[in-house]
Amino acid sequence: MAGMILTLATPCFAQDAPPSPVPLLVAADLREGTDLSGPWHYSIDPFRSGISGFHGGMPDTGQQRWRDVDVRAAMAKDSRVLYEFDLAHSPLASLPSAWLTHAPELRHYDGLMWYQRTFAAPETRKGRYFLRFGAANYATIVYLNGKEIGRHEGGFTPFAFEVTRALRDGQNQITVGVDSQANEATVPPPVTDWENYGGITRPVRLIATPDTYVDDAWVRLTRDGRMAVDVHLDGPQAANRSVRLKIAELGLDRAGTTDAHGDWRATMAAPRALIRWSPENPKLYDVAVTSGEDRWHDRIGFRKIERRGADILLNGKPIFLRGISMHEEELGVDPTRAITPAASRALLSEIKDGLHGNFVRLAHYPHSDVTVRMADELGLIVWSEVPVYWRVAWSNPDTLTRARTMLAENILRDRNRASVAIWSVANETPVTDARNSFLRTLVADVRRLDDTRLVSAALLVERGQGADHPVMTLADPLAEVLDVMAINTYNGWYSQDRLSDLGRSEWHVPADKPLICSEFGADARAGFHDPANKQKFSEEFQADYYRATLSMADHVPTLRGMSPWILKDFRSPRRQNPDFQQGWNRKGLISETGQRKEAFDVLGDYYARKASSR
Ligand code: GCU
């Protein structure tokens, strides 16, 4: 199990403070570095014999995949030597990519995989060096030149380990063990409705920094419209150090000095010339924070998102979020969760241009920073969420630590992204006292880490029956600590409702907060038409389902946005109807190859009318 890699010592944070992952290396994707993408050797280890021996304890030498050894030479030299692996001569795969596309026999592999490659250390080395992983799913252990340098749990957030002292001149050997297997205590748990995509799914880079560098910088507009900057330096000269914030295009140049902990916080009037970010004008600025030899930079948009009563306001004006949900899966018949800028642009452009959207729900886990940056650039507001999904082990303190750490890693990675407006802490989680306490802790963490955004969760609604129509009630106690209500509803798809009855549905939701319909949808196999009977899985049924549900939505008075389920068909092991699904969830408005279905224009026309009626 993933736990085999991790001896999860509960990180040392007081219950009232969120986890603080170190190092953060915020905006490290923009820092200079050596990209280790490309060919890596791989070798499966389904019984995890590289992690522990068959009676437990340390594995035999002959099973230690991470040893810094030339296996062939060692065995040729001494007939007593035995190695039952040889990564340097194992098959190659191009990373980043999930292993299900490395080879046909790996399509359904779920367990521990070892990866290894060598790389040349920089000729002249000065300052500090970090190995940064964009993400690896699910539990990871990393070795450099035969020495363990770190472990991480969580399949969707970045992590980094300092290797300054472990690097050697010439060739260095990196070995990574990634265990994809979920268990009852992981986040997410084993049962979800998406493909697990085990492996190193985002880039691995060797990053160089000065001895003292900018580990975190958060630059934003506060709720009262001022510009605020928080900087944290890491290194021997972090304390009482001069720091500078520059936004050249705005003529902003502000100096400061860090405190004894290496922190600098300042607020200032927003420059008069500041153009606020919006979907219509996604203005980004080059922001630099300099200190000593380090020059940190990011491209940041400035805007305000707030709630006033039942309205969501962007830059002080009410907005309706015209969105759709999206999994992290590129277009194509054999996706491997390798999200390049081109792959991300292709998907998000379908929302922005095809559907006339201004909003995307990045479900059900933190997506690649490539996608969040693309949303910044194209002008899409983002709902960002952690995979606290369905049946989580609410009473397990380790599970809570995992969720809190994942949430903190997500927020601390993306706090500078103007597109991110909503942090979601859960999806469709059954209401119990233990679940309420668990989620309230996550909501409190969001409030402490980021007081500029809204908090939500995709909730379940209770269904009752009126005389001749469904009565839907949102009675989730978590609602009182959320800014935005969000509900998933599938009346007409997973229920026996006639589509013609949906318009008569009765909705009971809190009247004083904005509501987002975070999911509704119906499957259709692209190209399957049944105009006569309109059976389920036909494009005609899906289009009628959208017409009926959109008409119903128009009667919910506090509705301020929607993110129907879902932009694109996606792999799901739970969906095995051989005529229509073949292991894919077909609720996409486009097929896995991007073929638009009839319902695409039903939603696109609805949003075009919404956009013009503002
Ligand atoms: C649920 C869930 C999704 C799932 C969808 C479906 O609401 O949140 O992850 O894919 O319904 O049934 O298609």
Short mmCIF file of all heavy atoms in Angstrom, two decimals, residues 347-401:
data_model
loop_
_atom_site.label_atom_id
_atom_site.label_comp_id
_atom_site.label_asym_id
_atom_site.label_seq_id
_atom_site.Cartn_x
_atom_site.Cartn_y
_atom_site.Cartn_z
N LEU A 347 -7.85 22.54 -24.37
CA LEU A 347 -9.04 22.27 -23.54
C LEU A 347 -9.70 23.57 -23.10
O LEU A 347 -10.90 23.77 -23.27
CB LEU A 347 -8.64 21.43 -22.32
CG LEU A 347 -8.20 19.99 -22.61
CD1 LEU A 347 -7.45 19.41 -21.42
CD2 LEU A 347 -9.41 19.12 -22.97
N LEU A 348 -8.91 24.48 -22.55
CA LEU A 348 -9.49 25.70 -21.99
C LEU A 348 -10.07 26.60 -23.08
O LEU A 348 -11.05 27.32 -22.85
CB LEU A 348 -8.45 26.47 -21.17
CG LEU A 348 -7.92 25.76 -19.92
CD1 LEU A 348 -7.02 26.70 -19.11
CD2 LEU A 348 -9.05 25.24 -19.03
N SER A 349 -9.54 26.52 -24.30
CA SER A 349 -10.09 27.34 -25.39
C SER A 349 -11.49 26.87 -25.76
O SER A 349 -12.34 27.67 -26.16
CB SER A 349 -9.19 27.28 -26.63
OG SER A 349 -7.90 27.73 -26.29
N GLU A 350 -11.76 25.57 -25.59
CA GLU A 350 -13.12 25.07 -25.85
C GLU A 350 -14.10 25.71 -24.88
O GLU A 350 -15.26 25.96 -25.20
CB GLU A 350 -13.18 23.54 -25.70
CG GLU A 350 -12.74 22.78 -26.94
CD GLU A 350 -13.70 22.98 -28.13
OE1 GLU A 350 -13.62 24.04 -28.77
OE2 GLU A 350 -14.53 22.10 -28.39
N ILE A 351 -13.63 25.99 -23.65
CA ILE A 351 -14.51 26.62 -22.66
C ILE A 351 -14.68 28.10 -22.98
O ILE A 351 -15.78 28.63 -23.09
CB ILE A 351 -13.95 26.44 -21.24
CG1 ILE A 351 -13.75 24.96 -20.93
CG2 ILE A 351 -14.86 27.11 -20.21
CD1 ILE A 351 -13.02 24.68 -19.62
N LYS A 352 -13.53 28.76 -23.16
CA LYS A 352 -13.53 30.21 -23.35
C LYS A 352 -14.20 30.61 -24.65
O LYS A 352 -15.09 31.45 -24.69
CB LYS A 352 -12.07 30.70 -23.33
CG LYS A 352 -11.87 32.17 -23.55
CD LYS A 352 -12.04 32.98 -22.29
CE LYS A 352 -11.81 34.45 -22.55
NZ LYS A 352 -12.07 35.27 -21.36
N ASP A 353 -13.75 29.99 -25.76
CA ASP A 353 -14.24 30.39 -27.08
C ASP A 353 -15.43 29.55 -27.53
O ASP A 353 -16.43 30.05 -27.99
CB ASP A 353 -13.11 30.27 -28.11
CG ASP A 353 -11.86 31.05 -27.66
OD1 ASP A 353 -12.05 32.13 -27.06
OD2 ASP A 353 -10.74 30.55 -27.85
N GLY A 354 -15.33 28.21 -27.33
CA GLY A 354 -16.40 27.33 -27.81
C GLY A 354 -17.69 27.51 -27.03
O GLY A 354 -18.78 27.62 -27.60
N LEU A 355 -17.57 27.57 -25.71
CA LEU A 355 -18.78 27.64 -24.87
C LEU A 355 -19.09 29.05 -24.40
O LEU A 355 -20.04 29.26 -23.65
CB LEU A 355 -18.62 26.71 -23.65
CG LEU A 355 -18.60 25.21 -23.92
CD1 LEU A 355 -18.23 24.45 -22.65
CD2 LEU A 355 -19.96 24.73 -24.46
N HIS A 356 -18.27 30.02 -24.76
CA HIS A 356 -18.45 31.41 -24.28
C HIS A 356 -18.44 31.42 -22.74
O HIS A 356 -19.20 32.12 -22.09
CB HIS A 356 -19.78 31.99 -24.77
CG HIS A 356 -20.00 31.77 -26.23
ND1 HIS A 356 -19.21 32.37 -27.20
CD2 HIS A 356 -20.86 30.96 -26.90
CE1 HIS A 356 -19.63 31.96 -28.41
NE2 HIS A 356 -20.61 31.11 -28.26
N GLY A 357 -17.52 30.61 -22.17
CA GLY A 357 -17.44 30.47 -20.72
C GLY A 357 -16.46 31.47 -20.12
O GLY A 357 -15.63 32.06 -20.80
N ASN A 358 -16.61 31.65 -18.81
CA ASN A 358 -15.65 32.50 -18.05
C ASN A 358 -15.18 31.77 -16.81
O ASN A 358 -14.60 32.39 -15.91
CB ASN A 358 -16.29 33.83 -17.69
CG ASN A 358 -17.49 33.65 -16.75
OD1 ASN A 358 -17.80 32.52 -16.32
ND2 ASN A 358 -18.16 34.74 -16.40
N PHE A 359 -15.45 30.44 -16.70
CA PHE A 359 -15.26 29.73 -15.43
C PHE A 359 -14.93 28.27 -15.72
O PHE A 359 -15.47 27.68 -16.68
CB PHE A 359 -16.56 29.85 -14.63
CG PHE A 359 -16.62 29.11 -13.33
CD1 PHE A 359 -15.65 29.29 -12.36
CD2 PHE A 359 -17.69 28.25 -13.05
CE1 PHE A 359 -15.73 28.62 -11.14
CE2 PHE A 359 -17.77 27.57 -11.84
CZ PHE A 359 -16.79 27.76 -10.89
N VAL A 360 -14.04 27.67 -14.90
CA VAL A 360 -13.75 26.24 -15.05
C VAL A 360 -13.55 25.65 -13.65
O VAL A 360 -12.87 26.25 -12.80
CB VAL A 360 -12.50 25.97 -15.91
CG1 VAL A 360 -11.24 26.65 -15.38
CG2 VAL A 360 -12.25 24.47 -16.07
N ARG A 361 -14.21 24.55 -13.42
CA ARG A 361 -14.01 23.81 -12.17
C ARG A 361 -12.96 22.75 -12.44
O ARG A 361 -13.20 21.81 -13.20
CB ARG A 361 -15.31 23.15 -11.70
CG ARG A 361 -15.11 22.30 -10.44
CD ARG A 361 -16.35 21.56 -10.04
NE ARG A 361 -16.13 20.73 -8.86
CZ ARG A 361 -16.82 19.61 -8.61
NH1 ARG A 361 -17.78 19.23 -9.45
NH2 ARG A 361 -16.57 18.89 -7.53
N LEU A 362 -11.77 22.93 -11.86
CA LEU A 362 -10.68 21.96 -12.05
C LEU A 362 -10.90 20.84 -11.03
O LEU A 362 -10.49 20.93 -9.89
CB LEU A 362 -9.33 22.64 -11.88
CG LEU A 362 -9.05 23.75 -12.91
CD1 LEU A 362 -7.64 24.32 -12.71
CD2 LEU A 362 -9.19 23.23 -14.35
N ALA A 363 -11.63 19.83 -11.48
CA ALA A 363 -12.05 18.72 -10.60
C ALA A 363 -11.01 17.61 -10.65
O ALA A 363 -10.31 17.47 -11.64
CB ALA A 363 -13.41 18.20 -11.10
N HIS A 364 -10.95 16.76 -9.72
CA HIS A 364 -11.39 16.78 -8.33
C HIS A 364 -10.19 16.93 -7.41
O HIS A 364 -10.19 16.49 -6.29
CB HIS A 364 -12.09 15.45 -7.99
CG HIS A 364 -13.49 15.33 -8.47
ND1 HIS A 364 -14.49 16.17 -8.06
CD2 HIS A 364 -14.06 14.46 -9.32
CE1 HIS A 364 -15.60 15.81 -8.62
NE2 HIS A 364 -15.39 14.77 -9.42
N TYR A 365 -9.12 17.51 -8.00
CA TYR A 365 -7.80 17.53 -7.35
C TYR A 365 -7.05 18.73 -7.94
O TYR A 365 -7.44 19.26 -8.99
CB TYR A 365 -7.05 16.23 -7.65
CG TYR A 365 -7.33 15.76 -9.06
CD1 TYR A 365 -6.76 16.40 -10.16
CD2 TYR A 365 -8.24 14.72 -9.31
CE1 TYR A 365 -7.06 16.02 -11.45
CE2 TYR A 365 -8.54 14.33 -10.62
CZ TYR A 365 -7.96 14.99 -11.68
OH TYR A 365 -8.29 14.63 -12.97
N PRO A 366 -5.95 19.16 -7.32
CA PRO A 366 -5.18 20.27 -7.90
C PRO A 366 -4.63 19.89 -9.26
O PRO A 366 -3.97 18.85 -9.40
CB PRO A 366 -4.05 20.47 -6.88
CG PRO A 366 -4.62 19.96 -5.60
CD PRO A 366 -5.47 18.79 -5.98
N HIS A 367 -4.92 20.68 -10.28
CA HIS A 367 -4.41 20.44 -11.63
C HIS A 367 -3.00 21.00 -11.76
O HIS A 367 -2.51 21.71 -10.89
CB HIS A 367 -5.34 21.07 -12.67
CG HIS A 367 -6.61 20.30 -12.89
ND1 HIS A 367 -7.17 20.10 -14.13
CD2 HIS A 367 -7.43 19.67 -12.02
CE1 HIS A 367 -8.28 19.40 -14.03
NE2 HIS A 367 -8.47 19.12 -12.75
N SER A 368 -2.38 20.70 -12.89
CA SER A 368 -1.03 21.19 -13.15
C SER A 368 -0.97 22.71 -13.10
O SER A 368 -1.92 23.40 -13.51
CB SER A 368 -0.60 20.72 -14.55
OG SER A 368 0.55 21.42 -14.96
N ASP A 369 0.17 23.25 -12.65
CA ASP A 369 0.32 24.71 -12.68
C ASP A 369 0.28 25.22 -14.12
O ASP A 369 -0.03 26.39 -14.35
CB ASP A 369 1.58 25.18 -11.95
CG ASP A 369 2.78 24.25 -12.15
OD1 ASP A 369 2.78 23.46 -13.11
OD2 ASP A 369 3.71 24.32 -11.33
N VAL A 370 0.54 24.35 -15.08
CA VAL A 370 0.41 24.75 -16.49
C VAL A 370 -1.03 25.18 -16.77
O VAL A 370 -1.28 26.21 -17.40
CB VAL A 370 0.82 23.59 -17.42
CG1 VAL A 370 0.41 23.85 -18.86
CG2 VAL A 370 2.32 23.33 -17.31
N THR A 371 -1.98 24.43 -16.29
CA THR A 371 -3.40 24.73 -16.55
C THR A 371 -3.85 25.97 -15.80
O THR A 371 -4.55 26.82 -16.35
CB THR A 371 -4.26 23.52 -16.18
OG1 THR A 371 -3.94 22.43 -17.04
CG2 THR A 371 -5.75 23.82 -16.28
N VAL A 372 -3.41 26.11 -14.56
CA VAL A 372 -3.85 27.28 -13.79
C VAL A 372 -3.25 28.56 -14.40
O VAL A 372 -3.91 29.59 -14.53
CB VAL A 372 -3.47 27.13 -12.30
CG1 VAL A 372 -4.08 28.25 -11.47
CG2 VAL A 372 -3.96 25.78 -11.76
N ARG A 373 -1.99 28.48 -14.84
CA ARG A 373 -1.39 29.64 -15.51
C ARG A 373 -2.10 29.93 -16.84
O ARG A 373 -2.29 31.09 -17.22
CB ARG A 373 0.10 29.40 -15.77
CG ARG A 373 0.96 29.51 -14.53
CD ARG A 373 2.44 29.51 -14.87
NE ARG A 373 3.26 29.56 -13.67
CZ ARG A 373 3.50 30.67 -12.95
NH1 ARG A 373 2.95 31.82 -13.33
NH2 ARG A 373 4.26 30.62 -11.87
N MET A 374 -2.55 28.87 -17.52
CA MET A 374 -3.26 29.08 -18.80
C MET A 374 -4.59 29.78 -18.53
O MET A 374 -5.02 30.65 -19.29
CB MET A 374 -3.47 27.74 -19.49
CG MET A 374 -3.95 27.83 -20.92
SD MET A 374 -2.84 28.70 -22.03
CE MET A 374 -1.45 27.54 -22.08
N ALA A 375 -5.24 29.42 -17.41
CA ALA A 375 -6.50 30.10 -17.06
C ALA A 375 -6.24 31.57 -16.75
O ALA A 375 -7.03 32.45 -17.14
CB ALA A 375 -7.14 29.41 -15.86
N ASP A 376 -5.12 31.87 -16.09
CA ASP A 376 -4.71 33.27 -15.87
C ASP A 376 -4.62 33.99 -17.20
O ASP A 376 -5.10 35.12 -17.36
CB ASP A 376 -3.32 33.31 -15.21
CG ASP A 376 -3.35 33.32 -13.70
OD1 ASP A 376 -4.42 33.04 -13.13
OD2 ASP A 376 -2.31 33.61 -13.10
N GLU A 377 -3.98 33.34 -18.15
CA GLU A 377 -3.66 33.98 -19.43
C GLU A 377 -4.90 34.14 -20.32
O GLU A 377 -5.11 35.19 -20.94
CB GLU A 377 -2.61 33.14 -20.16
CG GLU A 377 -2.00 33.80 -21.39
CD GLU A 377 -1.06 32.85 -22.12
OE1 GLU A 377 -0.29 32.14 -21.45
OE2 GLU A 377 -1.11 32.82 -23.36
N LEU A 378 -5.75 33.10 -20.35
CA LEU A 378 -6.92 33.15 -21.25
C LEU A 378 -8.07 33.92 -20.64
O LEU A 378 -8.96 34.38 -21.36
CB LEU A 378 -7.37 31.72 -21.59
CG LEU A 378 -6.39 30.84 -22.38
CD1 LEU A 378 -7.01 29.48 -22.66
CD2 LEU A 378 -5.97 31.52 -23.69
N GLY A 379 -8.08 34.02 -19.30
CA GLY A 379 -9.18 34.72 -18.63
C GLY A 379 -10.32 33.77 -18.29
O GLY A 379 -11.44 33.92 -18.77
N LEU A 380 -10.03 32.76 -17.47
CA LEU A 380 -11.08 31.88 -16.94
C LEU A 380 -10.95 31.87 -15.43
O LEU A 380 -9.84 31.68 -14.89
CB LEU A 380 -10.91 30.44 -17.47
CG LEU A 380 -11.31 30.20 -18.93
CD1 LEU A 380 -10.87 28.82 -19.38
CD2 LEU A 380 -12.82 30.37 -19.12
N ILE A 381 -12.05 32.05 -14.74
CA ILE A 381 -12.05 31.98 -13.28
C ILE A 381 -12.01 30.51 -12.89
O ILE A 381 -12.65 29.68 -13.55
CB ILE A 381 -13.32 32.68 -12.74
CG1 ILE A 381 -13.22 34.19 -13.03
CG2 ILE A 381 -13.50 32.45 -11.25
CD1 ILE A 381 -14.50 34.94 -12.81
N VAL A 382 -11.24 30.18 -11.85
CA VAL A 382 -10.98 28.78 -11.51
C VAL A 382 -11.56 28.43 -10.14
O VAL A 382 -11.42 29.17 -9.17
CB VAL A 382 -9.45 28.52 -11.49
CG1 VAL A 382 -9.10 27.22 -10.78
CG2 VAL A 382 -8.92 28.47 -12.93
N TRP A 383 -12.20 27.29 -10.10
CA TRP A 383 -12.56 26.59 -8.86
C TRP A 383 -11.50 25.51 -8.69
O TRP A 383 -11.34 24.65 -9.56
CB TRP A 383 -13.96 26.00 -9.03
CG TRP A 383 -14.35 24.86 -8.12
CD1 TRP A 383 -13.69 23.68 -7.90
CD2 TRP A 383 -15.54 24.79 -7.31
NE1 TRP A 383 -14.39 22.88 -7.03
CE2 TRP A 383 -15.51 23.54 -6.64
CE3 TRP A 383 -16.61 25.63 -7.09
CZ2 TRP A 383 -16.53 23.14 -5.77
CZ3 TRP A 383 -17.62 25.21 -6.23
CH2 TRP A 383 -17.58 24.00 -5.57
N SER A 384 -10.76 25.58 -7.59
CA SER A 384 -9.65 24.66 -7.34
C SER A 384 -10.03 23.76 -6.17
O SER A 384 -10.62 24.24 -5.20
CB SER A 384 -8.39 25.46 -7.00
OG SER A 384 -7.33 24.61 -6.69
N GLU A 385 -9.71 22.44 -6.26
CA GLU A 385 -10.18 21.57 -5.16
C GLU A 385 -9.19 20.47 -4.83
O GLU A 385 -8.32 20.12 -5.63
CB GLU A 385 -11.56 21.00 -5.49
CG GLU A 385 -11.64 19.86 -6.46
CD GLU A 385 -13.11 19.45 -6.72
OE1 GLU A 385 -13.90 20.27 -7.21
OE2 GLU A 385 -13.44 18.30 -6.44
N VAL A 386 -9.32 19.94 -3.62
CA VAL A 386 -8.51 18.80 -3.16
C VAL A 386 -9.39 17.55 -3.21
O VAL A 386 -10.62 17.65 -3.08
CB VAL A 386 -7.96 19.05 -1.75
CG1 VAL A 386 -6.83 20.07 -1.79
CG2 VAL A 386 -9.05 19.44 -0.77
N PRO A 387 -8.78 16.36 -3.39
CA PRO A 387 -9.55 15.14 -3.62
C PRO A 387 -10.11 14.51 -2.35
O PRO A 387 -9.95 13.33 -2.09
CB PRO A 387 -8.57 14.21 -4.32
CG PRO A 387 -7.24 14.65 -3.84
CD PRO A 387 -7.34 16.12 -3.59
N VAL A 388 -10.78 15.35 -1.53
CA VAL A 388 -11.52 14.84 -0.36
C VAL A 388 -12.88 14.42 -0.91
O VAL A 388 -13.82 15.22 -0.99
CB VAL A 388 -11.64 15.93 0.71
CG1 VAL A 388 -12.47 15.44 1.90
CG2 VAL A 388 -10.25 16.34 1.18
N TYR A 389 -12.96 13.20 -1.34
CA TYR A 389 -13.96 12.73 -2.30
C TYR A 389 -14.66 11.48 -1.79
O TYR A 389 -14.00 10.52 -1.40
CB TYR A 389 -13.23 12.43 -3.61
CG TYR A 389 -14.04 11.97 -4.79
CD1 TYR A 389 -14.49 12.87 -5.75
CD2 TYR A 389 -14.34 10.63 -4.98
CE1 TYR A 389 -15.21 12.45 -6.86
CE2 TYR A 389 -15.06 10.20 -6.08
CZ TYR A 389 -15.50 11.11 -7.02
OH TYR A 389 -16.20 10.69 -8.11
N TRP A 390 -16.02 11.57 -1.70
CA TRP A 390 -16.84 10.42 -1.33
C TRP A 390 -16.44 9.88 0.05
O TRP A 390 -16.46 10.63 1.00
CB TRP A 390 -16.80 9.33 -2.40
CG TRP A 390 -17.54 9.72 -3.66
CD1 TRP A 390 -18.20 10.90 -3.89
CD2 TRP A 390 -17.67 8.96 -4.85
NE1 TRP A 390 -18.73 10.91 -5.15
CE2 TRP A 390 -18.43 9.71 -5.77
CE3 TRP A 390 -17.23 7.69 -5.27
CZ2 TRP A 390 -18.74 9.25 -7.05
CZ3 TRP A 390 -17.54 7.24 -6.53
CH2 TRP A 390 -18.28 8.00 -7.41
N ARG A 391 -16.06 8.59 0.15
CA ARG A 391 -15.91 7.97 1.48
C ARG A 391 -14.50 8.10 2.03
O ARG A 391 -13.67 7.22 1.91
CB ARG A 391 -16.33 6.51 1.39
CG ARG A 391 -17.83 6.35 1.19
CD ARG A 391 -18.22 4.92 0.89
NE ARG A 391 -17.68 4.00 1.87
CZ ARG A 391 -17.10 2.84 1.53
NH1 ARG A 391 -16.94 2.52 0.27
NH2 ARG A 391 -16.64 2.02 2.45
N VAL A 392 -14.20 9.22 2.66
CA VAL A 392 -12.89 9.49 3.27
C VAL A 392 -12.91 9.01 4.72
O VAL A 392 -13.95 8.98 5.37
CB VAL A 392 -12.62 11.01 3.19
CG1 VAL A 392 -11.43 11.43 4.03
CG2 VAL A 392 -12.42 11.42 1.73
N ALA A 393 -11.73 8.63 5.23
CA ALA A 393 -11.64 8.13 6.63
C ALA A 393 -11.65 9.33 7.57
O ALA A 393 -10.62 9.78 8.07
CB ALA A 393 -10.36 7.32 6.79
N TRP A 394 -12.85 9.82 7.83
CA TRP A 394 -13.01 11.10 8.54
C TRP A 394 -12.43 11.06 9.96
O TRP A 394 -12.03 12.09 10.48
CB TRP A 394 -14.51 11.45 8.65
CG TRP A 394 -15.21 11.46 7.34
CD1 TRP A 394 -16.21 10.61 6.94
CD2 TRP A 394 -14.99 12.34 6.23
NE1 TRP A 394 -16.61 10.91 5.66
CE2 TRP A 394 -15.88 11.96 5.20
CE3 TRP A 394 -14.11 13.40 6.00
CZ2 TRP A 394 -15.92 12.62 3.97
CZ3 TRP A 394 -14.15 14.05 4.79
CH2 TRP A 394 -15.05 13.67 3.78
N SER A 395 -12.38 9.89 10.59
CA SER A 395 -11.93 9.83 11.99
C SER A 395 -10.45 9.48 12.11
O SER A 395 -9.94 9.30 13.21
CB SER A 395 -12.77 8.79 12.75
OG SER A 395 -14.14 9.14 12.63
N ASN A 396 -9.76 9.37 10.95
CA ASN A 396 -8.35 8.98 10.99
C ASN A 396 -7.47 10.24 10.99
O ASN A 396 -7.46 10.99 10.02
CB ASN A 396 -8.02 8.13 9.76
CG ASN A 396 -6.57 7.66 9.76
OD1 ASN A 396 -5.70 8.35 10.27
ND2 ASN A 396 -6.34 6.49 9.19
N PRO A 397 -6.71 10.51 12.07
CA PRO A 397 -5.91 11.74 12.14
C PRO A 397 -4.87 11.82 11.02
O PRO A 397 -4.56 12.90 10.52
CB PRO A 397 -5.25 11.68 13.51
CG PRO A 397 -5.42 10.28 14.00
CD PRO A 397 -6.59 9.70 13.30
N ASP A 398 -4.34 10.67 10.58
CA ASP A 398 -3.37 10.70 9.47
C ASP A 398 -4.05 11.16 8.18
O ASP A 398 -3.47 11.89 7.38
CB ASP A 398 -2.76 9.31 9.26
CG ASP A 398 -1.67 9.01 10.28
OD1 ASP A 398 -1.29 9.95 11.01
OD2 ASP A 398 -1.23 7.86 10.37
N THR A 399 -5.29 10.72 7.99
CA THR A 399 -6.02 11.15 6.79
C THR A 399 -6.28 12.65 6.83
O THR A 399 -6.13 13.34 5.82
CB THR A 399 -7.35 10.37 6.68
OG1 THR A 399 -7.06 8.98 6.68
CG2 THR A 399 -8.12 10.74 5.43
N LEU A 400 -6.60 13.16 7.99
CA LEU A 400 -6.79 14.61 8.12
C LEU A 400 -5.48 15.34 7.82
O LEU A 400 -5.46 16.32 7.09
CB LEU A 400 -7.29 14.97 9.52
CG LEU A 400 -7.47 16.47 9.80
CD1 LEU A 400 -8.47 17.10 8.82
CD2 LEU A 400 -7.92 16.70 11.25
N THR A 401 -4.37 14.81 8.32
CA THR A 401 -3.07 15.44 8.03
C THR A 401 -2.79 15.43 6.54
O THR A 401 -2.32 16.41 5.98
CB THR A 401 -1.96 14.66 8.78
OG1 THR A 401 -2.21 14.75 10.18
CG2 THR A 401 -0.59 15.23 8.47
#
